[in-house]
Amino acid sequence: RECFFDNFLVNQEKTTAETRLHRPIAREVVLNCDKPWETRGIAYENFFYDAEIKKYRLYYLGREALTDSLRGEQIRVCYAESEDGIHFKKRKANPIFIRNRKNKFECDRLGGCQVLHTPDMGYLMFYIGYENINTARICVARSDDGITNWERCSLNPIVGPTVGEWDEDATYKPSAIWIPELGEWRVYYNGRRKHDEYIGFSRFNKR
């Protein structure tokens, strides 16, 4: 199973196969920006089918414009759900997760998140916390129902910049997975050093 193909996998000197990017087919809009906390748009959608409630869960960022500057905005995590994966209904009590100004590592704003449903820990949200526009770290929170009463991990931030390394300025855009065969979490993420970005991962062997 390969998500990306290049000349290593498809050697055009030895086969008639060619790499081709198919154009997406436009369909209907599933979410509109129609709430006060979405005046600048919505972003970083993360959705999955939850067999426990037999619905599709959709988590996204609502961006509210406070000034004309891109830095003048507030970002919050919002929620919608659907029975068919096409027609989504936003939760009336949105947003479901906001920054904690008392936490240095997320006092400026929140960033993209990934929510996972686990059999023993409830719902986990891996999210980006911004100390300022240039400094970001990865944090995690949990909830019993995936919507309310999110509890931040006492170990936050779980992944942060390392001085002198490839991710010394920011760690963000998390994608986490539990690997039962190894008994560990892997959090893949983007790391930034000045203007260069890289992809790496961190390991955790605790649940």
Side-chain angles (χ1 to χ4, degrees):
R1 297 174 182 173
E2 297 286 345
C3 293
F4 302 99
F5 294 86
D6 57 20
N7 289 335
F8 178 78
L9 294 173
V10 182
N11 190 330
Q12 294 180 350
E13 295 181 356
K14 298 181 180 181
T15 179
T16 57
E18 61 181 28
T19 55
R20 181 183 301 174
L21 179 64
H22 292 275
R23 292 184 177 275
I25 300 175
R27 299 297 187 188
E28 62 266 35
V29 176
V30 298
L31 279 184
N32 285 304
C33 304
D34 55 4
K35 301 299 180 183
W37 51 84
E38 301 167 354
T39 53
R40 184 160 282 163
I42 59 178
Y44 289 102
E45 299 80 10
N46 165 225
F47 84 104
F48 61 91
Y49 180 74
D50 192 337
E52 190 170 287
I53 64 172
K54 297 182 179 179
K55 291 182 180 179
Y56 292 89
R57 292 180 179 265
L58 173 61
Y59 299 85
Y60 66 96
L61 299 185
R63 302 173 61 198
E64 178 184 2
L66 303 180
T67 68
D68 291 336
S69 169
L70 284 177
R71 297 189 179 190
E73 66 178 355
Q74 181 57 267
I75 301 177
R76 306 172 177 91
V77 179
C78 304
Y79 175 79
E81 60 184 31
S82 167
E83 294 184 356
D84 60 7
I86 300 175
H87 303 91
F88 284 87
K89 183 177 181 180
K90 295 179 181 178
R91 185 172 184 265
K92 291 183 178 180
N94 271 329
I96 63 168
F97 193 72
I98 62 175
R99 65 175 175 173
N100 185 339
R101 293 174 180 266
K102 295 181 179 180
N103 290 342
K104 175 183 177 181
F105 44 83
E106 61 178 75
C107 62
D108 183 72
R109 68 186 68 195
L110 299 179
C113 73
Q114 175 199 19
V115 178
L116 300 173
H117 187 196
T118 67
D120 58 339
M121 301 175 67
Y123 295 83
L124 299 181
M125 179 191 296
F126 295 84
Y127 67 95
I128 309 170
Y130 283 88
E131 178 180 345
N132 53 58
I133 195 65
N134 295 312
T135 307
R137 301 174 177 88
I138 297 172
C139 306
V140 65
R142 69 165 301 278
S143 166
D144 288 332
D145 62 8
I147 303 175
T148 61
N149 300 318
W150 288 96
E151 302 173 355
R152 288 168 168 82
C153 177
S154 61
L155 300 177
N156 280 342
I158 60 170
V159 181
T162 303
V163 176
E165 297 295 334
W166 56 276
D167 59 358
E168 69 174 355
D169 291 323
T171 54
Y172 50 166
K173 302 175 184 176
S175 179
I177 183 173
W178 170 253
I179 305 177
E181 296 83 2
L182 300 177
E184 70 178 26
W185 284 99
R186 285 193 183 179
V187 179
Y188 294 85
Y189 66 95
N190 279 38
R192 181 173 54 79
R193 183 177 186 179
K194 295 182 179 179
H195 299 294
D196 296 323
E197 288 207 13
Y198 309 86
I199 296 177
F201 71 93
S202 290
R203 291 188 176 100
F204 303 90
N205 56 12
K206 293 182 179 180
R207 286 182 71 80

